[in-house]
Amino acid sequence: AMEGCPGVRIREGDCAVLKRGEVFKAVPVLRRRKIIFEKQWFYLDNAIGHIYGTTFEVTNGGNLQPKQEVEETTTETKEAGTDNRNIVDDGKSQKLTHDDIKALKDKGIKGQEIVQQLIENSTTFRDKTEFAQDKYIKKKKKKYEAVITIVKPSTRILSTMYYAREPGKINHLRYDTLAQMLTLGNIHAGNKMIVMETCAGLVLGAVMERMGGYGSIIQMYPGGGPVRAATSCFGFPKSYFDNLHEFPLSKVHSLLSGTFSTETLPSDPEDNALVEEESNGLTDEKQTSLQETEEEPTTEAPMEINQAEEQETMYINTEDVEFKENKEKENKENVREKQMKQWERRKKLTEAAALLREKNADGLIVASKFHPTPLLLPLLEFVAPSRPFVVYCQYKEPLLECYTKLRERGGVINLKLSETWLRNYQVLPDRSHPKLTMSGGGGYLLSGITVVLDKGKSDSSNLEALKMEEPSPKRCKVQDLHC
Amino acid sequence: MSFIEYGDTIKDGDTAIVFLGHESMFPVKVQHGTVTQTKYGVIRHSTDLIGKKYGSKVTCSKGGWVFILHPTPELWTMNLPHRTQILYSTDISIITMMLELKPGSIVCESGTGSGSLSHALIRTVAPTGHLYTVEFHQQRAEKAREEFREHGVDHLVTVTNQDVCKNGFGVSNVADAVFLDIPSPWEAIGHAKSALKAEGGRICSFSPCIEQVQRTCLAMEEYGFTEINTLEVLLRVYNVRTISLQIPDLGKAAEDNSGAGFDSSNPSNQGSLAANLQQGTVQFKSGVPLREMVGHTGYLTFATKS
């Protein structure tokens, strides 16, 4: 536990999140790496060693400097107006021009000073009401006092960031909807979870955070491999990944029908490139270079291309016997390495398959771009009875269909189709109200609990359906429940 | 079983949830020799429950049947005996995420109330975290202690019977997060700050009234909290229903059938509408909102200790 922990420090290699107001951006903490954020550019070098949560200013040289705690000059009762009836917005009330302000910035004048200058050079400032003055100052501060806070990534930070910056990558899953999923799914330490998501790994990361490294997760993935871009931002310790498995969707049906084998693995671009090189035939130049960018650059790689393009090579000594002998050795090593990797992958796949075959998962989370029905019904087979499942969909209609199919299948109860409505507030003395803009939609959830599946009893499943869907007027109120 | 760890079979002493049908369920303490009455008949614990798998269907004496479910904090929230107004899972979900709670977290809470949020917090911070919960009502504090014991989670929680506004949470400089659901949260902000760890702790205050929120935000600012943010979240539930709408009779354009009116024998029309055109209805599936929904629970204010 983190008892009495003085605060986590920013370390090189971390994934940190820059925050300015309500704007977030995830960046790797690397020395001499230029970062551009909110129209400013700077290096993170000076931030290393500071505690997460520290606020910095950007100096003229592009370096970060912790912001000094400045005593806010308490505005003594300054001159202010009562309303805006006489204030004309002709765009001429600010006497400083763009160039004037630029000159101030170039001189290295601090943001605070610039704001002060703007106030002094505004002809209408003293006519504004106190509230309007407050609002004006806040607005100018936001623009000219560029402070950046470096925060530690968490589900809260990353889900808010992704929703604001790249909602398309997470199927427009709003952060409060994600929060519901984690709770409805009873995600906690020790679970054996099945996760199927195409949200850049954000949902996986959120599940991992709530499991704290305890238990196990099997991530189902489409295509060649799971995308875990967001997951790496969380900064989990390596041990968390020991019990993270993955399994290809393309093998689900064979696993359920009992015909699963590891002989035919899902196509892997890396494998293809290596296979073609071995055959020493016409190497697909494109694929080789693809493979190169995926692997760590080694001295062999460029030489391998050259081997295939011997006629066009610019290297001298290609005819050298010694050179050829070394090439053969390298080839053999590569083959061995490739075989080792394949063996590793097969082993992991077999492990994941074994875990799934036990059909005793403690829960299922689905949040993807795919239609939920063909995903949910097969994957539920792997879940134990009396366990929650949650399906997210950006749209409501596919979940209507999913609900219907689940009713037909049976083995689920307490089905609920829902969405959450979220509103942020501005709270200020005499000026409290909901904020002016809000999200129009954050996606929909279908949740339920598994029960022992009564196969082959169609009469009782109809009865169940009837029982489950009492028409609204007869539905008992929550207070009347205790029989 | 326990509220923090799944088990497969029902055991003597477990708290199980009896599910009768749509949103109809209640908790039961499993005990050898006991019986439970339901509208479908009697459930005999020794023969019907103990040793059975969670999620099983149990037939009651009158022939009707129920499902027996493994308890979770969410099911507990829907079924616990109310001693006070409680927090429901919608608010609990966002509180948990915004306070960045996870296994190992140290959380402080006041007031304990009926223990709805408490159970959810304990579940999230298990197995290495801890909940310090403060309740100024003596009987409620005692009832909470009893329930935590019965549910096998008492090693993860400390219940203190005192007034948090006067005496704080009983710990200093250790909490990752503090949660307040009390009438005058602004009076506890100072205590919350001292309970929180030195840097980066999170606080949440839940208040039904905007005036309370205003006072609390002011207090948070005075005590140097940053990132102060107030929001509210509401749940909208949809019932999945197949709806049939009638097609109105607009008569015929002319005496014969060759008019411009809606012609059900026209193949293009049949393609675009569902079946039952002969009966003059169109069917479709819809997610129908409930007639009434919860319109307000409370405002949630979050902040960070710098």
Side-chain angles (χ1 to χ4, degrees):
Chain A
M2 304 249 291
E3 273 122 330
C5 194
V8 185
R9 293 193 182 269
I10 302 167
R11 282 185 331 231
E12 192 174 1
D14 278 358
C15 174
V17 175
L18 308 175
K19 176 182 187 296
R20 186 181 171 210
E22 303 297 312
V23 183
F24 298 88
K25 182 177 181 176
V27 293
V29 178
L30 298 167
R31 291 185 193 275
R32 290 181 302 282
R33 169 75 68 93
K34 190 174 179 181
I35 305 282
I36 300 172
F37 175 61
E38 289 283 275
K39 294 187 190 155
Q40 292 188 289
W41 69 263
F42 48 88
Y43 297 103
L44 292 170
D45 298 41
N46 288 1
I48 297 173
H50 282 275
I51 296 175
Y52 275 104
T54 309
T55 304
F56 298 88
E57 280 177 321
V58 182
T59 64
N60 269 355
N63 286 311
L64 291 178
Q65 184 181 290
K67 179 165 199 275
Q68 266 76 32
E69 280 293 328
V70 180
E71 261 299 314
E72 287 288 332
T73 43
T74 42
T75 40
E76 317 89 34
T77 38
K78 284 208 179 108
E79 208 182 341
T82 45
D83 56 47
N84 65 9
R85 70 181 80 194
N86 292 323
I87 299 181
V88 178
D89 186 7
D90 56 8
K92 296 187 195 143
S93 38
Q94 177 56 245
K95 292 303 164 203
L96 294 180
T97 63
H98 278 304
D99 292 330
D100 290 332
I101 298 170
K102 192 173 183 307
L104 288 176
K105 274 202 224 174
D106 290 340
K107 261 201 260 175
I109 305 277
K110 279 207 162 175
Q112 244 178 305
E113 240 320 288
I114 296 181
V115 176
Q116 198 50 41
Q117 289 288 321
L118 286 166
I119 294 172
E120 283 168 20
N121 282 285
S122 162
T123 55
T124 51
F125 187 81
R126 61 197 175 98
D127 297 326
K128 291 180 197 271
T129 64
E130 261 183 64
F131 290 164
Q133 288 178 348
D134 214 31
K135 195 170 176 179
Y136 181 89
I137 294 172
K138 273 206 178 96
K139 188 174 168 190
K140 295 305 173 193
K141 270 193 176 167
K142 193 170 178 208
K143 189 168 181 187
Y144 295 105
E145 275 185 32
V147 287
I148 297 166
T149 312
I150 300 186
V151 296
K152 192 163 195 317
S154 64
T155 302
R156 167 179 82 95
I157 300 280
L158 292 173
S159 61
T160 317
M161 182 187 85
Y162 264 96
Y163 189 69
R165 284 184 93 88
E166 297 184 289
K169 286 217 172 128
I170 55 169
N171 302 103
H172 294 260
L173 169 67
R174 200 175 57 209
Y175 45 95
D176 58 303
T177 311
L178 175 59
Q180 301 301 315
M181 291 169 75
L182 298 169
T183 301
L184 285 171
N186 192 19
I187 315 289
H188 67 280
N191 273 5
K192 178 176 172 181
M193 290 301 305
I194 300 177
V195 176
M196 165 53 211
E197 60 115 298
T198 60
C199 297
L202 174 67
V203 175
L204 175 67
V207 170
M208 287 173 76
E209 185 183 85
R210 290 282 271 265
M211 287 176 57
Y214 298 93
S216 60
I217 304 173
I218 304 139
Q219 184 184 9
M220 315 299 292
Y221 62 88
V227 175
R228 292 180 182 160
T231 322
S232 49
C233 279
F234 282 83
F236 296 128
K238 267 197 166 172
S239 59
Y240 278 37
F241 293 87
D242 292 343
N243 285 316
L244 171 60
H245 308 262
E246 49 280 333
F247 192 85
L249 282 178
S250 57
K251 293 283 185 179
V252 167
H253 277 140
S254 70
L255 189 63
L256 285 171
S257 65
T259 60
F260 170 76
S261 87
T262 57
E263 289 315 309
T264 45
L265 296 174
S267 64
D268 176 33
E270 194 185 308
D271 279 356
N272 289 342
L274 282 164
V275 165
E276 289 184 15
E277 270 180 49
E278 272 174 35
S279 66
N280 231 349
L282 302 156
T283 314
D284 186 347
E285 204 183 351
K286 242 195 202 171
Q287 272 198 308
T288 327
S289 46
L290 220 189
Q291 179 221 335
E292 275 186 354
T293 54
E294 283 170 15
E295 285 179 19
E296 271 174 36
T298 59
T299 47
E300 290 106 73
M303 299 221 278
E304 271 156 39
I305 302 177
N306 288 330
Q307 193 196 9
E309 302 172 324
E310 258 172 319
Q311 296 91 353
E312 293 145 45
T313 188
M314 294 191 292
Y315 281 71
I316 339 155
N317 296 337
T318 46
E319 308 301 328
D320 196 59
V321 171
E322 203 185 286
F323 174 85
K324 276 197 175 130
E325 274 178 8
N326 286 338
K327 274 314 294 160
E328 274 176 39
K329 266 198 218 152
E330 278 160 14
N331 271 352
K332 284 210 182 100
E333 273 171 35
N334 287 339
V335 170
R336 236 175 12 108
E337 217 184 279
K338 186 215 158 202
Q339 281 177 340
M340 277 292 289
K341 279 189 181 169
Q342 273 236 343
W343 183 82
E344 274 286 327
R345 286 186 68 222
R346 287 226 170 90
K347 182 162 168 278
K348 284 189 165 233
L349 195 59
T350 314
E351 275 170 22
L355 285 172
L356 286 169
R357 263 200 214 94
E358 288 177 323
K359 298 196 176 179
N360 64 357
D362 293 316
L364 170 65
I365 301 283
V366 176
S368 77
K369 61 188 179 188
F370 297 108
H371 197 290
T373 313
L375 273 177
L376 185 59
L377 265 55
L379 293 181
L380 273 177
E381 299 290 316
F382 300 119
V383 181
S386 190
R387 297 292 185 270
F389 60 90
V390 189
V391 185
Y392 166 82
C393 187
Q394 188 180 345
Y395 308 98
K396 204 206 293 187
E397 290 77 4
L399 291 180
L400 295 176
E401 205 210 277
C402 205
Y403 179 103
T404 310
K405 287 285 188 306
L406 279 176
R407 278 269 168 265
E408 286 169 20
R409 171 195 185 268
V412 295
I413 54 163
N414 216 29
L415 283 180
K416 188 164 80 175
L417 174 62
S418 65
E419 69 168 330
T420 39
W421 184 93
L422 175 76
R423 202 183 215 180
N424 281 287
Y425 284 77
Q426 164 183 295
V427 178
L428 291 170
D430 296 321
R431 288 160 286 169
S432 299
H433 58 71
K435 288 212 169 137
L436 297 189
T437 56
M438 61 184 272
S439 153
Y444 301 84
L445 292 179
L446 177 63
S447 62
I449 304 175
T450 56
V451 289
V452 171
L453 186 52
D454 226 350
K455 288 189 177 152
K457 286 190 179 176
S458 55
D459 299 358
S460 60
S461 71
N462 277 340
L463 246 179
E464 267 177 52
L466 284 172
K467 209 198 231 196
M468 299 308 164
E469 291 186 39
E470 292 169 43
S472 337
K474 290 185 192 160
R475 195 184 316 133
C476 31
K477 296 196 185 118
V478 178
Q479 296 94 296
D480 299 340
L481 277 187
H482 304 286
C483 310
Chain B
M1 80 97 221
S2 86
F3 277 69
I4 54 170
E5 202 181 335
Y6 279 118
D8 283 330
T9 44
I10 306 169
K11 294 185 176 60
D12 186 28
D14 280 2
T15 300
I17 308 289
V18 178
F19 183 89
L20 300 114
H22 193 50
E23 280 184 16
S24 175
M25 49 181 146
F26 63 89
V28 81
K29 185 106 176 93
V30 179
Q31 243 175 308
H32 257 302
T34 332
V35 296
T36 300
Q37 295 286 347
T38 77
K39 63 180 182 184
Y40 299 125
V42 160
I43 301 175
R44 292 177 205 287
H45 292 212
S46 309
T47 51
D48 298 328
L49 296 182
I50 297 176
K52 289 262 161 46
K53 227 178 167 195
Y54 275 108
S56 297
K57 188 193 276 192
V58 167
T59 310
C60 309
S61 58
K62 283 191 207 159
W65 39 260
V66 297
F67 285 103
I68 310 297
L69 301 176
H70 195 290
T72 63
E74 287 60 56
L75 287 174
W76 182 249
T77 289
M78 295 309 297
N79 294 295
L80 62 89
H82 286 210
R83 282 93 70 181
T84 59
Q85 172 60 288
I86 65 167
L87 279 182
Y88 289 89
S89 296
T90 312
D91 286 316
I92 293 175
S93 302
I94 201 136
I95 292 166
T96 309
M97 186 184 80
M98 297 296 259
L99 289 183
E100 303 187 343
L101 299 178
K102 50 186 176 271
S105 295
I106 310 288
V107 200
C108 292
E109 169 199 29
S110 188
T112 317
S114 308
S116 171
L117 175 65
S118 316
H119 278 81
L121 296 176
I122 292 168
R123 174 268 316 271
T124 301
V125 307
T128 45
H130 202 88
L131 170 67
Y132 294 95
T133 184
V134 176
E135 171 57 49
F136 66 3
H137 190 280
Q138 209 233 333
Q139 279 91 347
R140 287 204 291 263
E142 201 35 61
K143 184 82 180 118
R145 275 194 201 101
E146 198 185 292
E147 271 176 3
F148 296 141
R149 241 191 325 265
E150 262 179 40
H151 297 160
V153 298
D154 52 322
H155 59 292
L156 291 165
V157 57
T158 303
V159 183
T160 307
N161 177 213
Q162 67 193 25
D163 182 348
V164 70
C165 298
K166 293 199 169 59
N167 306 326
F169 292 93
V171 293
S172 340
N173 283 98
V174 294
D176 296 296
V178 167
F179 177 80
L180 293 168
D181 179 3
I182 57 175
S184 313
W186 55 91
E187 291 177 9
I189 301 296
H191 289 293
K193 187 172 184 190
S194 63
L196 283 169
K197 62 188 180 186
E199 265 291 334
R202 294 278 292 164
I203 184 172
C204 174
S205 174
F206 174 88
S207 293
C209 303
I210 195 70
E211 296 85 355
Q212 294 169 302
V213 175
Q214 288 177 307
R215 289 221 184 107
T216 308
C217 285
L218 226 48
M220 285 179 177
E221 229 177 300
E222 278 165 22
Y223 276 95
F225 282 92
T226 57
E227 260 190 294
I228 303 171
N229 177 44
T230 304
L231 55 88
E232 69 171 334
V233 64
L234 294 174
L235 184 71
R236 283 178 60 81
V237 176
Y238 297 98
N239 280 332
V240 181
R241 296 267 180 272
T242 306
I243 309 290
S244 286
L245 293 181
Q246 270 192 301
I247 298 168
D249 179 10
L250 287 118
K252 292 188 172 61
E255 276 311 307
D256 56 40
N257 278 345
S258 61
F262 186 83
D263 185 357
S264 60
S265 65
N266 185 332
S268 67
N269 282 337
Q270 278 176 344
S272 59
L273 291 171
N276 288 326
L277 290 178
Q278 304 93 310
Q279 279 126 48
T281 62
V282 168
Q283 269 201 339
F284 59 94
K285 269 241 180 307
S286 177
V288 180
L290 307 183
R291 214 171 78 81
E292 243 187 33
M293 66 177 264
V294 172
H296 181 64
T297 52
Y299 302 100
L300 288 163
T301 303
F302 297 93
T304 308
K305 175 177 172 177
S306 272

